[in-house]
Amino acid sequence: MMKQTILLPGGAGFIGSHIAAELLTLGRDVVIADDLSNARADVIDRLERITGRRPVFYQIDVADHAALDRVFASHPVDAVIHLAGYKAVGESVLKPVAYYRNNLDSTLTLLEVMADYGVKKLVFSSSATVYGPANPIPYTEQMPTGGCTSPYGWTKHMIEQILADACVADPALSTVCLRYFNPVGAHESGLIGELPNGIPNNLMPYIAQTAAGIRSELTVFGDDYPTPDGTGVRDYIHVVDLAKGHVAAIDYAAAHTGWEAINLGTGRGTSVLELVHTFVSVNGVSVPYRIGPRRSGDLPAYYADAEKARRLLGWQAEKSAADMCRDAWRWQQNAREL
Ligand code: UFG
């Protein structure tokens, strides 16, 4: 593999930092551009501790054209993994304009500057939320997308469309939209992981904070869904597996042109209570919970058809729910000191 420089807009965050760790370990050069609106600067030091190599870091807003231009002028960028964006589903309903402005602007600026510098390879951080509420499960990539249930979801859908249009206009361009299912867990070093702002919205950090005593109990949002135990079913994927999927996607993009959408999931569904029980048994902790009402906007159950990723990328998730729970707990214990 020749020397490669990968730019990660949004690379200091939960998913981006794990991708950076994988790329640095493989000997690729990593440039992170992040405004630190939902990340911490010490991630860069931690990446160096994990990999023995330090990523280049720019604290910039990716929508700032002049600032992004300076990054491309300073580094021979071969490919971009675009992770910059707001990601809180509930907040996006309250602040739709901020979500459209931020998520679309950063993407448009990135595409302009990539075009100026002749960079043709882009992997985009999309979401299973683009499948909307109408499709049967498991979700396959050729299903219709749209009908999203939040402005956040619509930004992912719109950006996928923008990338498809850009590929029509420039046949040399290669864009891979990775549709994440539910990324959880943390790096096994315990040095990087998810740092939710305030009360977590997502299940795994809520479980971990409850086990740590930061929250008194978990509320399970509904136990009357048409699922085996009545609680919601999702496709949880270990963030390190997810990061490896991005490396495979970068290599795929290097060898192809055109637009692709690819699911990154395990292909297996796990219920809320199954995840709680796994967390309790592998970590030997207690997680008090009570059953509450359904959370509005939640779907009963969905998971990925993971076949396309296997076929096109030669990638599949390897880590179990037990691994996810063990690594999430190790990180939670370390994160108390942050
Ligand atoms: N849940 C609880 N209690 C909690 C939090 C979550 O019971 O305190 C349940 C939810 O009802 C759901 C499951 O746990 O059944 C997972 O919920 P998360 O909030 O962790 O994840 P979601 O599936 O709702 O959200 C994910 C991503 C979003 C994405 C969305 C739709 O986090 O980025 O899927 O694809 F938009």
Side-chain angles (χ1 to χ4, degrees):
M1 169 61 62
M2 63 176 188
K3 196 75 179 161
Q4 227 187 7
T5 300
I6 314 289
L7 173 66
L8 306 185
F14 172 44
I15 293 168
S17 58
H18 289 81
I19 296 170
E22 289 303 315
L23 290 168
L24 290 165
T25 301
L26 290 169
R28 322 249 180 128
D29 288 337
V30 172
V31 178
I32 291 175
D34 198 304
D35 66 0
L36 300 182
S37 60
N38 192 19
R40 291 163 49 115
D42 69 358
V43 158
I44 308 303
D45 302 326
R46 288 156 177 268
L47 286 169
E48 189 173 8
R49 277 174 68 192
I50 293 168
T51 68
R53 302 181 62 230
R54 194 171 178 84
V56 178
F57 175 57
Y58 291 90
Q59 186 177 350
I60 60 163
D61 178 350
V62 177
D64 178 341
H65 196 290
L68 193 63
D69 188 286
R70 284 193 291 277
V71 174
F72 278 79
S74 306
H75 302 277
V77 175
D78 294 296
V80 178
I81 303 178
H82 175 30
L83 306 136
Y86 295 156
K87 63 170 187 179
V89 175
E91 183 186 56
S92 80
V93 177
L94 302 173
K95 300 179 181 172
V97 177
Y99 269 67
Y100 289 114
R101 169 66 78 193
N102 184 63
N103 292 6
L104 298 182
D105 256 10
S106 56
T107 304
L108 295 170
T109 302
L110 183 61
L111 288 170
E112 287 169 355
V113 179
M114 283 177 64
D116 288 346
Y117 285 85
V119 177
K120 301 292 186 189
K121 309 297 177 187
L122 177 68
V123 171
F124 171 60
S125 167
S126 189
S127 167
T129 196
V130 300
Y131 290 111
N135 284 306
I137 53 173
Y139 293 155
T140 60
E141 290 85 348
Q142 74 274 16
M143 287 175 174
T145 56
C148 299
T149 47
S150 72
Y152 159 79
W154 279 115
T155 68
K156 296 297 183 189
H157 182 258
M158 288 175 185
I159 292 167
E160 286 200 357
Q161 183 64 47
I162 290 167
L163 298 180
D165 293 340
C167 284
V168 171
D170 180 359
L173 200 59
S174 176
T175 66
V176 181
C177 298
L178 295 178
R179 295 175 176 164
Y180 308 159
F181 283 70
N182 287 56
V184 297
H187 197 267
E188 64 177 22
S189 65
L191 289 171
I192 52 174
E194 189 171 13
L195 277 174
N197 279 327
I199 301 172
N201 295 308
N202 296 120
L203 180 61
M204 184 67 99
Y206 208 107
I207 291 174
Q209 290 196 5
T210 305
I214 299 168
R215 312 282 156 210
S216 58
E217 64 179 5
L218 168 75
T219 302
V220 174
F221 296 141
D223 70 347
D224 57 353
Y225 285 110
T227 60
D229 65 14
T231 66
V233 166
R234 295 289 183 273
D235 185 341
Y236 298 95
I237 173 170
H238 196 294
V239 65
V240 171
D241 276 334
L242 191 83
K244 289 178 176 165
H246 287 72
V247 177
I250 277 289
D251 293 344
Y252 177 86
H256 295 82
T257 57
W259 182 93
E260 288 291 350
I262 303 177
N263 292 338
L264 291 187
T266 65
R268 288 185 305 277
T270 302
S271 76
V272 174
L273 286 181
E274 280 172 338
L275 197 68
V276 171
H277 293 141
T278 303
F279 195 97
V280 165
S281 70
V282 302
N283 295 317
V285 294
S286 77
V287 177
Y289 67 84
R290 68 177 180 89
I291 306 296
R294 294 182 178 190
R295 180 172 65 180
S296 95
D298 275 355
L299 296 178
Y302 62 85
Y303 52 93
D305 180 320
E307 181 52 29
K308 186 173 178 184
R310 208 182 58 75
R311 189 163 41 83
L312 261 60
L313 307 181
W315 168 92
Q316 58 189 351
E318 281 163 2
K319 290 177 182 282
S320 65
D323 296 326
M324 301 175 207
C325 291
R326 196 178 299 113
D327 292 337
W329 179 231
R330 184 188 298 109
W331 166 245
Q332 176 63 45
Q333 291 170 292
N334 293 349
R336 294 199 86 159
E337 293 149 25
L338 293 178

